[in-house]
Amino acid sequence: MAKKKGSIVYKCSSCGYSQPGWLGRCPECGEWNTMEECILDPNAASPLQHQDGMAVKVKPVPMKTVALEDSGRYSTGNSEFDRVLGGGAVKRSAVLIGGEPGIGKSTLLIQTSAAFLSGNPKSRVLYVSGEESASQIKARAVRLNLNVDDVEILTTLRLEDILDALDSLNPTLVIIDSIQTVYSVQAGIVPGTVSQLKYCGNELISWVKERDSVLIMTAHVTKDGVIAGPKSLEHMVDTVLNFERSSDEVRFLRAQKNRFGSVDELGIFMMESDGLKIVGDPASLFITRRQNGTPAGIACVPVFEGSRVFVVEIQALTVPAKASLNRVYSEKIDSQKISRIAAVLEKRAGIKFSDQDIYVNVAGGVRLSESAIDAALAAALYSARADLPLPEKTLVLGELSLAGEIRPVPRLKQRIKTGKELGYVNIVCPEKESGAKEVSDIKSLLTALFK
C-alpha cells in the first residue's frame, strides 16, 4: 500500500484549531461538526523560517532607525479606478473588491489588466481565476476588443499553485477572481470557510508585501450586500472597494476603507456592450431632463463625492398612511434622517407628516449621507405634502438643526459655482454669496421657495 505523504490533522473550519484526532465538537470555539481532515505538506515552507531552516526572531527597533520606503503608485489605466484608489494602486498593497453576481467585477479586472500592461509595458500581470476557464476569460477579452496577449492566465483553486506561479513569474499586478474559491490543504479542502479565507488571504498578502507588486482580489457578497466571510479579511487588506449598481447600466465604485487615500471618492461607470465605460459627464446621470416643468416633490442639491461636485435630484412623495403608524421608504437616504427632518417640519412649519407614508428617492441611484442635503430634503418633503412645485432651476442646500435653523455647509462656493455652470439661477443657501439667496431658518427657507 502506498504511504500517504504528510501527516493528517483535523482542523476546525470555524476557528482554525487543530489536533491529531477527529472530534464532533471543537474544544476551542464549541462549534459542532466543523473538524475537517487536513494533510500537512512536509515540503511547505514556514513563513517564520529562512531558506536554510533557521528560525527568525523579530526584535523591536527605535522608530528613528526605520527607513521610509517608496510608496509609489501604479496607474491602473482607468481614471475612475485610480480616483477611488486615491490616485492609483500603491506598491505592496492589497485591494479587495466586493459586488453582487453579474455586476461586472470580472469585466472591470480584465479591462484593468489590459490597460495596466498598456501603460506599463515592462510589467507582468497574473490573472488567477477559480470561477472561469481560460477560454471563457479569453472570449470575454475578445468580445471587449482587449489586447490581453501578454496577460498570464492561471485557472486553479489551489493556493500552492498560485504561490508557485507568483514565485516563478514575479508579476507586478496580481488579480485573484475570487478569493472565496481559493483553498489550501493546510486549512482543509473546502473553499470559502473562515479558516480558508484567513489563511489564503494572509499568504497572498504576505507575498505581495515583500515585493513592489499590487494584489487585487474580488469577493462574494451576501444577500445583504456585505462581503461574505470573516470581517478579519477586510482588516487584512489595505483597501476595500464596493462595486454597486443603480440601474441596469450605471455602476458605482466607492471605497469603504483606504489606507492610502480618501474613502469619499466615487467612480462612475456605464455598462455597455463593449464593457465598462467611464462616465464623462456625471451630472447628466443625476438630473432628470423635463420639458413640462418640475413637478411637486422635487428638489435639487449640489453634493460632494470626494473631490467632485454633483447636482443630484431628491424626489419625495407623501400619501395617507394605510395603518395607524406611518412609515418611511427610502434606499438611498437614511430613513432616520428623513424622519428627523419630517419632525422638524411638523414642529417648526406646522405641516403634518405623522399621518403620512413617506417615499424618498434619489435620481440616478447615488446614496446621499452628508448634512448639506437637509434643506433640499425638507423642501422636497414640504413640496410633496403641500403639492407645490419648487421654482424652475432652483438649488437648495444647507444643514437643518432640530431647532429649525439652516446652518452653513463646507465648500459652499464650489457648490454654488457648479450649480451656476449647470444653468441653475435660483440658489437658496444659509450664507451670503453672489447670486444666492440667504435663509436662516426653516420658515425663511419655505418663504423663499413657496411665496
Side-chain angles (χ1 to χ4, degrees):
M1 182 180 293
K3 186 178 180 180
K4 289 186 178 181
K5 295 183 178 180
S7 58
I8 296 177
V9 298
Y10 293 87
K11 181 173 289 188
C12 175
S13 61
S14 179
C15 67
Y17 173 82
S18 62
Q19 69 165 37
W22 183 86
L23 291 174
R25 184 178 185 182
C26 174
E28 183 70 20
C29 65
E31 295 291 333
W32 288 92
N33 299 321
T34 57
M35 304 298 289
E36 298 178 353
E37 180 180 309
C38 301
I39 300 176
L40 296 181
D41 186 357
N43 299 320
S46 171
L48 297 179
Q49 292 181 344
H50 289 302
Q51 294 181 355
D52 57 5
M54 299 298 293
V56 177
K57 292 185 179 180
V58 181
K59 297 181 180 180
V61 296
M63 184 66 76
K64 64 181 179 182
T65 64
V66 178
L68 292 176
E69 297 181 354
D70 178 20
S71 59
R73 295 179 182 265
Y74 295 112
S75 173
T76 63
N78 186 313
S79 60
E80 292 295 282
F81 199 0
D82 286 344
R83 180 193 301 275
V84 178
L85 290 174
V90 177
K91 297 178 182 178
R92 306 190 178 200
S93 67
V95 180
L96 184 67
I97 303 178
E100 63 185 42
I103 198 171
K105 299 187 298 296
S106 299
T107 299
L108 174 65
L109 293 183
I110 195 64
Q111 290 184 207
T112 300
S113 300
F116 187 88
L117 282 179
S118 177
N120 305 275
K122 295 183 179 181
S123 301
R124 306 188 76 172
V125 175
L126 175 62
Y127 192 108
V128 181
S129 176
E131 300 178 344
E132 297 178 288
S133 66
S135 178
Q136 289 175 312
I137 298 171
K138 180 65 178 292
R140 178 187 290 112
V142 171
R143 177 173 57 85
L144 300 178
N145 297 319
L146 300 176
N147 181 13
V148 293
D149 293 342
D150 295 327
V151 175
E152 305 283 346
I153 300 293
L154 176 62
T155 55
T156 184
L157 303 179
R158 295 183 70 250
L159 174 67
E160 290 74 19
D161 295 339
I162 298 174
L163 294 177
D164 288 343
L166 291 176
D167 291 334
S168 61
L169 296 175
N170 194 27
T172 306
L173 177 63
V174 183
I175 295 175
I176 308 294
D177 187 16
S178 66
I179 186 60
Q180 270 94 355
T181 63
V182 180
Y183 78 93
S184 171
V185 294
Q186 302 288 343
I189 58 175
V190 179
T193 62
V194 172
S195 57
Q196 286 285 9
L197 289 173
K198 289 181 179 179
Y199 182 83
C200 296
N202 182 69
E203 289 294 307
L204 293 169
I205 294 171
S206 298
W207 188 92
V208 80
K209 291 295 184 181
E210 298 173 356
R211 298 161 178 84
D212 287 341
S213 302
V214 177
L215 172 66
I216 301 178
M217 302 180 290
T218 65
H220 300 165
V221 296
T222 65
K223 62 181 181 180
D224 296 325
V226 298
I227 294 178
K231 204 68 176 178
S232 58
L233 182 62
E234 298 181 40
H235 290 285
M236 292 162 61
V237 299
D238 301 297
T239 304
V240 179
L241 305 180
N242 288 332
F243 206 29
E244 310 164 354
R245 78 170 81 208
S246 67
S247 64
D248 292 338
E249 297 85 17
V250 181
R251 304 290 190 271
F252 295 136
L253 183 66
R254 65 172 73 239
Q256 179 180 331
K257 167 190 174 182
N258 192 352
R259 289 174 178 162
F260 309 110
S262 171
V263 296
D264 297 324
E265 295 290 353
L266 179 69
I268 307 175
F269 302 88
M270 186 75 71
M271 178 63 80
E272 300 179 358
S273 59
D274 54 348
L276 289 166
K277 300 297 182 182
I278 295 173
V279 176
D281 181 19
S284 61
L285 292 177
F286 309 126
I287 302 175
T288 305
R289 309 295 181 183
R290 299 182 177 88
Q291 296 180 350
N292 299 324
T294 303
I298 303 296
C300 295
V301 55
V303 298
F304 261 96
E305 289 289 345
S307 59
R308 295 188 294 185
V309 184
F310 303 132
V311 174
V312 299
E313 180 182 284
I314 298 177
Q315 305 167 351
L317 174 67
T318 62
V319 295
K322 301 177 181 63
S324 58
L325 183 65
N326 70 320
R327 298 182 181 180
V328 176
Y329 301 87
S330 174
E331 295 180 355
K332 304 306 178 183
I333 301 178
D334 186 13
S335 58
Q336 294 183 358
K337 177 190 285 286
I338 298 171
S339 298
R340 173 175 59 83
I341 291 177
V344 173
L345 283 170
E346 186 162 341
K347 176 68 175 181
R348 307 298 176 185
I351 187 167
K352 193 174 182 180
F353 286 92
S354 57
D355 60 348
Q356 300 287 307
D357 285 339
I358 301 175
Y359 298 80
V360 174
N361 185 43
V362 180
V366 64
R367 291 203 315 266
L368 302 180
S369 59
E370 64 171 325
S371 58
I373 69 170
D374 290 358
L377 180 55
L381 290 173
Y382 185 91
S383 173
R385 185 70 176 91
D387 199 23
L388 296 173
L390 273 73
E392 292 293 323
K393 297 295 182 180
T394 298
L395 285 183
V396 185
L397 64 157
E399 179 184 350
L400 181 61
S401 71
L402 293 179
E405 303 165 318
I406 305 296
R407 298 172 56 83
V409 296
R411 297 182 283 190
L412 180 62
K413 292 183 179 181
Q414 293 172 265
R415 299 174 195 263
I416 293 176
K417 179 182 178 182
T418 300
K420 290 181 178 179
E421 291 174 351
L422 293 175
Y424 290 88
V425 295
N426 302 315
I427 300 175
V428 180
C429 65
E431 294 182 4
K432 288 184 178 180
E433 292 291 339
S434 176
K437 184 180 296 184
E438 181 185 10
V439 292
S440 59
D441 55 28
I442 189 65
K443 290 185 177 180
S444 60
L445 171 70
L446 299 178
T447 301
L449 295 174
F450 309 99
K451 294 182 179 178

